[in-house]
Amino acid sequence: MVRAIRGAIQVETNDRDAILSGVTELVSEVMTRNALTTDDVISVIFTATPDLTAEFPALAARKLGFHDVPLICASEIDVPGALPRVVRLMAHVETDKSRQEIQHVYLRGAVALRVDIAQ
């Protein structure tokens, strides 16, 4: 069965290391909480708020072993008053879990984005 998993993290600064560290934490948590391996992942879409330009978020996933997984990065819409310095992801995965069992992951300040589903 194919499922989509959402996640987001707010990073400290528009700095290459901060972005890579934050995305590494986010991807690792998504994988752990949902008991996934890279073989389970079909693709991942990353978005970053327009204030994050120091590195592509997908690089963190590549460094975690997502070598054969299609990844893409895009910019979020620049909405006035939106939470700054946020990287979001939507991972498409093969899993036997039901929609109710999927663990969406919102970390650091990004918890405020989806308090209804953040664990």
Side-chain angles (χ1 to χ4, degrees):
M1 196 172 315
V2 175
R3 298 282 184 217
I5 302 173
R6 288 293 316 270
I9 190 165
Q10 186 176 42
V11 298
E12 296 285 325
T13 61
N14 181 29
D15 171 80
R16 181 179 194 271
D17 290 337
I19 292 168
L20 292 177
S21 174
V23 176
T24 296
E25 180 182 351
L26 176 61
V27 171
S28 296
E29 281 295 311
V30 166
M31 300 297 284
T32 299
R33 292 185 192 184
N34 290 285
L36 299 169
T37 68
T38 55
D39 286 340
D40 300 320
V41 181
I42 298 167
S43 64
V44 184
I45 300 167
F46 292 96
T47 65
T49 50
D51 52 3
L52 293 179
T53 58
E55 187 55 84
F56 292 104
L59 179 59
R62 292 276 181 242
K63 291 180 176 236
L64 285 172
F66 285 63
H67 303 293
D68 298 329
V69 177
L71 308 173
I72 194 165
C73 298
S75 182
E76 279 288 330
I77 299 168
D78 193 11
V79 176
L83 190 64
R85 300 179 321 280
V86 175
V87 176
R88 293 171 172 86
L89 69 73
M90 183 181 301
H92 302 94
V93 303
E94 292 181 296
T95 181
D96 292 331
K97 292 181 183 286
S98 69
R99 285 186 188 191
Q100 294 75 26
E101 294 174 300
I102 294 295
Q103 297 285 310
H104 303 282
V105 178
Y106 291 82
L107 302 174
R108 302 184 193 171
V111 168
L113 297 173
R114 292 299 305 262
V115 293
D116 58 324
I117 62 173
Q119 277 84 35

